[in-house]
Amino acid sequence: MEIRVLKYFLTIAREENITRAAEQLHITQPTLSRQMMQLEEELGVRLFQRNRVSVTLTEEGRLLRRRAQEILELAEKAEQEIILNRETVTGTIGIGCGETRNMEGLSRLMTSFRQHYPEVVFHIYTANADDVKEKLENGTLDFGLLLEPVEISRFNFVRMPLREQWCVLMRRDSPLAEKETITPADLVGVPLIVARRHSVRNELDNWFGEYYRRMHVVTTVNLSYNNCSIMVENHVGVGLVHDFGVPGDALCLRPLSPEIGNNSVLVWRKEQVFPPAVTKFIEHVRAAAPML
């Protein structure tokens, strides 16, 4: 597979139309179609479901789209690292982040770093810890700000200072709003919006204890505190969330009892040769860690 052909494939996947994709790529439609048929023959699978007006990805096509995006990101990073003058600290640093208040500390690190190296650009990718770890391991991200529990034995890390406290996000007119804290018994029969990530769900399930099987989960979420807030405000349920403050006048937060919380870590791969910008940021993080 050539990088050029993968770019063709991703353009078709985005446009869902061979003719429009060919126009975007400034090649003829027959040429583009022939390239895709050759790619399918090379892989031995069908990548597209074709009809008269559009094309859609097959299951194999969706898998290739994901991997092709990663391959092109790696190719772009490699090209930048080769072209850059290694004596000048420029380039990009990719950081994957969950939704955590420790973004405050990371932001301060980024700001102080750019005071010394103003030509460095940070790329922030927001996702849960499992997704970020995968991109760290395949090299498309340089750092990850991960919310525990998470397995980090394969990474170097510094621990971030703020502990994330679990709360219940609810409407102010909810009967639960009259309570100072929320116990597992208080949530029996209440529609719940909870995290989808397996390790986090296990932690919450342990907190529910004997009430676990009586919980009424109506929605699971990957990320986006803002989306959860909108759903809570519109009566979908109450949200089990970390304390980011109250988003708007219609909602309120109540802490869990017994209290549970999570720490965060900033991680990067062990025994890895990094470009100068990433190496300098690692040094900066290590030097600043005691003061975070």
Side-chain angles (χ1 to χ4, degrees):
M1 287 183 289
E2 299 179 15
I3 296 294
R4 170 181 55 83
V5 176
L6 291 180
K7 290 180 179 179
Y8 290 175
F9 167 76
L10 289 175
T11 302
I12 296 172
R14 183 181 66 246
E15 296 295 329
E16 297 185 342
N17 182 279
I18 295 285
T19 301
R20 287 199 304 270
E23 291 172 354
Q24 290 280 331
L25 294 166
H26 304 292
I27 61 177
T28 65
Q29 185 269 333
T31 299
L32 184 56
S33 295
R34 184 168 59 254
Q35 291 279 358
M36 290 304 100
M37 286 188 289
Q38 291 173 353
L39 179 60
E40 288 179 321
E41 290 176 4
E42 179 181 350
L43 296 175
V45 296
R46 291 188 61 188
L47 299 173
F48 301 100
Q49 295 285 354
R50 298 168 173 84
N51 58 45
R52 286 168 33 181
V53 296
S54 66
V55 294
T56 57
L57 293 177
T58 62
E59 183 176 349
E60 291 81 4
R62 289 191 294 271
L63 175 61
L64 179 61
R65 177 176 60 184
R66 179 182 175 187
R67 296 307 183 194
Q69 289 169 338
E70 294 175 351
I71 290 168
L72 292 181
E73 288 175 10
L74 284 172
E76 183 179 347
K77 282 173 65 72
E79 183 178 359
Q80 290 175 351
E81 291 166 13
I82 292 170
I83 292 174
L84 289 174
N85 182 343
R86 297 187 65 87
E87 296 180 357
T88 302
V89 181
T90 61
T92 62
I93 298 174
I95 306 178
C97 306
E99 290 181 325
T100 166
R101 289 193 302 136
N102 282 291
M103 191 67 191
E104 296 175 12
L106 178 58
S107 297
R108 290 192 294 269
L109 287 171
M110 293 162 60
T111 299
S112 57
F113 182 77
R114 291 198 71 258
Q115 289 173 352
H116 298 284
Y117 308 106
E119 296 185 26
V120 172
V121 176
F122 288 92
H123 292 321
I124 302 300
Y125 173 78
T126 303
N128 66 31
D130 298 331
D131 192 5
V132 171
K133 278 182 61 181
E134 181 180 346
K135 290 188 176 296
L136 284 169
E137 289 168 352
N138 66 30
T140 54
L141 288 174
D142 302 306
F143 296 87
L145 180 57
L146 307 179
L147 190 67
E148 295 180 315
V150 62
E151 170 57 46
I152 58 172
S153 62
R154 298 175 62 183
F155 300 98
N156 293 312
F157 70 94
V158 297
R159 197 166 297 282
M160 302 300 284
L162 298 179
R163 183 168 171 81
E164 310 287 350
Q165 298 297 326
W166 283 96
C167 297
V168 178
L169 180 66
M170 67 193 75
R171 291 176 55 91
R172 289 190 181 276
D173 57 9
S174 168
L176 293 175
E178 300 176 4
K179 298 178 176 291
E180 293 185 3
T181 60
I182 304 299
T183 68
D186 294 329
L187 296 177
V188 172
V190 177
L192 299 178
I193 303 169
V194 300
R196 183 182 308 142
R197 187 174 158 221
H198 183 68
S199 57
V200 175
R201 284 291 299 275
N202 284 343
E203 187 175 35
L204 292 174
D205 291 347
N206 288 334
W207 178 80
F208 285 125
E210 63 181 290
Y211 297 97
Y212 162 69
R213 296 191 181 279
R214 299 168 65 187
M215 294 299 106
H216 182 39
V217 175
V218 296
T219 304
T220 64
V221 292
N222 179 26
L223 282 177
S224 183
Y225 184 77
N226 183 59
N227 284 347
C228 183
S229 303
I230 292 171
M231 288 188 287
V232 170
E233 188 167 352
N234 286 276
H235 303 277
V236 174
V238 303
L240 286 173
V241 299
H242 286 119
D243 184 359
F244 287 104
V246 180
D249 297 332
L251 305 179
C252 62
L253 286 167
R254 295 292 182 267
L256 300 184
S257 179
E259 176 184 296
I260 58 172
N262 303 97
N263 296 314
S264 295
V265 286
L266 182 64
V267 307
W268 60 94
R269 296 185 303 280
K270 291 181 178 179
E271 301 176 0
Q272 178 73 28
V273 178
F274 291 109
V278 176
T279 300
K280 290 292 186 182
F281 191 63
I282 291 172
E283 295 171 359
H284 185 72
V285 167
R286 283 176 162 156
M291 298 175 285
L292 284 174

